[in-house]
Amino acid sequence: EARWQIGETANRFQVMGLVPAVPGEETLCELNVGLATHTGSRGGDAAVLARAKGTFYPLVELPDADKRPLRAGPVFQVSADRSGRLLSRVKEFVQRWRLWEMLAPTKIIHTPTPPLPIVAFAWHPYQARFAVALADQTLRLFDIATGEWSPLAVRHEFQHGIQCMEWRPLAGNSIAVGCSHGVCVWSISLSPENSATWMSYIRLPCQGPVTSLSWSPSGRHLAYASCADSAIVIWDMATDEATPIRRVGGGVSLLRWSPSGYFLFSATVTGLFRVWETKTWTAETWKSSAGPCATVCWSRDGKTLLIAYREQPILHAVQFGKEPPFTGAWFVQHGCEDLSAFEVPYRGGKTESVCGPVVDMAWDDTGERLALVFAESEVVGLVATKRHPFLTCTPIGFIRGPLHRGGPIYPAFRPNAPCGGALLSMCWTDGCVSF
């Protein structure tokens, strides 16, 4: 069995002869530790999946743009200065409002509109639905069980320049959206009898946009930061207090709270990254020679961290052997994986470049599957992972998306997928979601 071992430098995708499906075919699923593909007729491997009682997930197109929501004022607005003190707590009013209206067909003539690109994506941690933020700065919800978009379109004048979003754990339908000057924390009601929705607005101390945010596993604390400032702000939802944590090293580009709650990862635009232990808020600092950190993934137990850099086609791993107030962190030697780009030839003399630096990735809850999005490739790498007794990775193949839908963005595994398996969703730059 071909596996990546610590210290190896060969690209195992290339060594094992794994190549993507030819353009025009679409990857359907993983079947018997291999990737099944189909064409528009859904023949071949699709018939095998049907006999195995597999589930087909149709391509999800973005909702119509002409269902415009009503705009409303804020429910609760707060701001904090650099010292962390609360400057103002303004309750303008508390009001329930409807964020959407359905127009009768006799009142409007629908005209075709092109799909809207997706600027952020997030699975709900417990329910079979996901949220997408669109380029028109609205938030839309899709229900996997019904296969329909919610009629709610969530928008606010403060919600512009969306950079990131994440559902709040243990809080029902509450989601934080990072925007140009702060964070919108929405409490969304999906009840047919009561479609009222509330928003709390947390203003950022600096003038830059919120480029990353992350919830603690308990849902009590929200960490957010900006590339324009070196401070990380920890917002306590119970007390409405902000605590900034500042270190030298440039603006913060990435935050990820560990599933255990013991550690908070932060990366800067200068190539520094830190792992904070959340009891005394001390940190270990590393400096990368491969440019800024592009993306990271925590294992479900919070003891392994995978790191990818923008300028290096290698996946690194950090292990954690202790709990706060210590980290006990160490790099797994040099690099876990070599993902150097290589050319795949096709008929007619055409070639395609696959692999290269990783710009985004997702690790499923079971810790057995890892999806990799590459900087200059339209296919997604799929890897089988095993953490015990030590970290090993076995390449499975490349996922080919729907034809003429652009490149892959925002890979994400559905949390608590049914039947103990893994369901990978992928957004595409042309404006759709596939599974």
Side-chain angles (χ1 to χ4, degrees):
E1 182 180 12
R3 291 181 175 178
W4 284 312
Q5 301 291 346
I6 297 172
E8 292 190 1
T9 58
N11 186 324
R12 290 289 173 170
F13 282 102
Q14 185 176 15
V15 170
M16 295 175 63
L18 297 174
V19 296
V22 297
E25 294 185 351
E26 181 182 353
T27 304
L28 182 65
C29 67
E30 180 187 341
L31 193 63
N32 299 323
V33 199
L35 295 179
T37 62
H38 75 87
T39 57
S41 62
R42 285 187 176 267
D45 290 333
V48 175
L49 178 63
R51 288 194 295 270
K53 298 182 179 180
T55 302
F56 289 105
Y57 291 91
L59 192 70
V60 176
E61 300 286 354
L62 296 186
D64 294 335
D66 53 13
K67 293 180 180 178
R68 296 183 178 88
L70 297 177
R71 302 170 71 89
V75 171
F76 180 41
Q77 179 184 351
V78 292
S79 59
D81 62 5
R82 294 180 181 271
S83 66
R85 296 179 179 178
L86 206 60
L87 287 179
S88 64
R89 181 174 179 172
V90 182
K91 290 188 176 180
E92 298 185 352
F93 55 86
V94 178
Q95 177 185 10
R96 296 188 179 191
W97 69 87
R98 296 180 69 85
L99 291 173
W100 59 276
E101 64 177 351
M102 299 295 292
L103 297 176
T106 57
K107 296 182 180 179
I108 190 169
I109 298 176
H110 294 276
T111 56
T113 56
L116 298 175
I118 301 170
V119 296
F121 178 95
W123 276 100
H124 195 285
Y126 320 112
Q127 302 173 10
R129 64 170 49 94
F130 59 78
V132 294
L134 306 181
D136 64 356
Q137 309 306 306
T138 59
L139 187 65
R140 303 301 296 266
L141 307 179
F142 185 84
D143 193 312
I144 293 293
T146 63
E148 296 180 349
W149 290 96
S150 168
L152 284 172
V154 182
R155 175 186 291 168
H156 192 273
E157 60 181 321
F158 292 167
Q159 185 173 281
H160 59 89
I162 297 175
Q163 301 275 335
C164 51
M165 67 180 180
E166 185 175 313
W167 291 94
R168 183 182 179 186
L170 307 177
N173 292 311
S174 179
I175 188 170
V177 183
C179 307
S180 292
H181 301 293
V183 181
C184 297
V185 182
W186 293 94
S187 295
I188 302 173
S189 174
L190 299 175
S191 171
E193 294 79 17
N194 181 14
S195 59
T197 296
W198 300 267
M199 188 269 282
S200 299
Y201 186 69
I202 306 171
R203 188 175 297 277
L204 193 66
C206 68
Q207 296 299 317
V210 175
T211 50
S212 187
L213 56 79
S214 184
W215 288 101
S216 66
S218 67
R220 174 167 177 173
H221 296 100
L222 175 65
Y224 58 96
S226 171
C227 284
D229 197 349
S230 62
I232 302 170
V233 181
I234 308 298
W235 183 267
D236 191 323
M237 297 296 293
T239 62
D240 292 333
E241 293 180 351
T243 304
I245 303 173
R246 187 178 302 278
R247 292 291 187 274
V248 297
V252 179
S253 58
L254 188 60
L255 293 172
R256 289 290 186 274
W257 217 300
S258 70
S260 64
Y262 293 151
F263 307 110
L264 177 65
F265 172 90
S266 68
T268 69
V269 294
T270 61
L272 284 175
F273 75 87
R274 296 181 174 89
V275 177
W276 301 82
E277 55 84 12
T278 57
K279 186 174 183 179
T280 62
W281 290 101
T282 57
E284 291 193 31
T285 304
W286 288 270
K287 173 67 176 178
S288 167
S289 60
C293 176
T295 182
V296 299
C297 279
W298 285 99
S299 62
R300 188 169 187 177
D301 61 4
K303 293 183 179 180
T304 303
L305 179 68
L306 299 180
I307 306 174
Y309 297 101
R310 295 180 185 176
E311 302 174 8
Q312 188 180 64
I314 296 178
L315 201 61
H316 295 268
V318 179
Q319 300 279 4
F320 296 83
K322 297 181 180 180
E323 297 180 1
F326 309 100
T327 61
W330 72 92
F331 262 98
V332 181
Q333 290 195 5
H334 303 293
C336 273
E337 334 291 357
D338 183 351
L339 298 169
S340 299
F342 64 95
E343 296 290 326
V344 176
Y346 295 111
R347 292 180 180 178
K350 296 182 179 181
T351 61
E352 180 181 15
S353 178
V354 296
C355 291
V358 175
V359 294
D360 206 352
M361 59 183 171
W363 206 354
D364 80 313
D365 285 346
T366 67
E368 297 179 356
R369 292 296 181 269
L370 179 70
L372 306 173
V373 175
F374 305 106
E376 299 181 359
S377 178
E378 292 188 354
V379 296
V380 179
L382 185 64
V383 177
T385 57
K386 183 179 178 182
R387 293 186 52 250
H388 300 289
F390 50 84
L391 181 64
T392 59
C393 301
T394 305
I396 296 175
F398 295 100
I399 298 173
R400 171 81 69 183
L403 187 64
H404 304 312
R405 302 315 295 262
I409 52 176
Y410 307 124
F413 285 96
R414 174 184 169 181
N416 303 307
C419 303
L423 176 61
L424 174 66
S425 65
M426 189 70 58
C427 301
W428 301 90
T429 53
D430 192 50
C432 65
V433 183
S434 66
F435 305 92

